[in-house]
Amino acid sequence: MTQTIFALSSGAPPAGIAVIRVSGPEAGSALRRLAGKLPAPRRAVLAVLRDANDLTLDKAMALWLPGPGTATGEDCAELHLHGGRAVVAAVEAALAALPGLRRAEPGEFTRRAFAQGRIDLAEAEGLADLLSAETELQRRAAMAMAGGVLSQQVGRWRTQVLTLSAALEASLDFAGDDDIDEVGGGLPDGFAPACAALAEELAAWLSRPRAEPLREGFRVVLAGPPNAGKSTLFNALVEDEAAITAAEPGTTRDVLLRSVALGGVPFTFVDTAGLREEGAGAIEQIGIERARNEAGRADLVLWLGPEGVGPPGAALWEIAAQCDRPDALAKAAAMFRLSARTGEGVDRLREALIEHARSALPAPGDVALNARQHGLLGEVATALSEAAFQIDPLLAAESLRIARLALDRLVGRAGTEDMLDALFGRFCIGK
């Protein structure tokens, strides 16, 4: 039997109001035990809450929300309490003492909503992103995903694939062997162009900016030799003395990350050890190797070293730093000439970074695919492309079956428990 769960769903106390949610078959009984009665459905009523010993716990607003038309699809109750720590602890203790009730695990309310078909997997992923959103861009992308924009589009794609499958099955059922010629025999009229057109539509979605830079921040790595001014520029960009700066070479020996929002755009700035081949100790050598790895996974490298010798394969801007010094490194084709110590040119660099990141991140309100969704949608596009070029109707039907399965996995009609555990573990307790 499904257990009834409860948890604090508002912020940690103390607060003006604390909301405790209860979901499951004993939700109504629990509300009746604490409030003395079951309120009319979906009407907030003032109630005096008492424990099993008839001790008054709080005077609160109580809500009774019978399923299935609830967030979890189950019977639910909400208690809107005064937000003191002692009040919340006392009400939670009273609920825990009732038979059939237990404290919820992280993400368990949302997981029950998924299990009851109230939301699908893509919407749950969007909700997880919404809970962790810190910038307006992140919020709007998460709202689009949580609101079902991708799920609705997947439904349309699935309908198109099912229509193609039905037409193909009909041709297999009613066409005789004599009707099948060498090229395209037995395939419905327009089958190959329809598969190709749908694959092209999916390819356009796959070419969109991804969710990871939006969620984790546009990753900007500062790289160059020792004493090139990386840490000073890093501090100027994040507007904090986060990195230690000194004239001694090799001061930065490890990777330093700082996430900030500039102009409403999420960034992760990465300060790295100075790159040099000689004179580095064992610990500094580890930092240098980490610096090279960070440059390889950057969305953009700000290269403060000699012109033309930055990390290969990375999107790179040549920066002429320390321009206030008479011995500053000269660069003929530097994108920016600046001094992080005096502030000269730093604002122009910051504005350029914001503009560049905006062009690389999803537009406000657009759906951004995460790695899991991108991989599955890629499987669908590949399967449809293969179906478009098949001669044998049976092989074309198998390609369409693979496409349907990948679409089902995308929204959680098919999946694995391990993946679900990882997703819902991202949620806080009470959500």
Side-chain angles (χ1 to χ4, degrees), residues 401-419:
R401 187 193 68 82
I402 293 172
R404 290 198 308 273
L405 179 60
L407 288 171
D408 286 345
R409 289 165 59 199
L410 202 154
V411 293
R413 288 192 177 97
T416 65
E417 285 299 311
D418 288 345
M419 182 271 295

Side-chain angles (χ1 to χ4, degrees), residues 41-117:
R42 294 173 175 78
R43 291 188 62 185
V45 299
L46 185 64
V48 176
L49 306 183
R50 293 184 172 86
D51 64 10
N53 297 318
D54 205 34
L55 178 66
T56 298
L57 302 174
D58 192 24
K59 184 178 290 186
M61 298 299 295
L63 274 167
W64 165 234
L65 307 167
T70 62
T72 62
E74 303 175 322
D75 287 348
C76 292
E78 287 187 4
L79 300 171
H80 296 232
L81 317 168
H82 293 96
R85 290 188 180 93
V87 174
V88 173
V91 173
E92 287 183 328
L95 287 169
L98 297 177
L101 270 71
R102 65 168 175 82
R103 296 178 187 273
E105 298 175 357
E108 192 168 4
F109 286 94
T110 307
R111 185 160 188 164
R112 290 191 177 198
F114 169 75
Q116 294 288 335

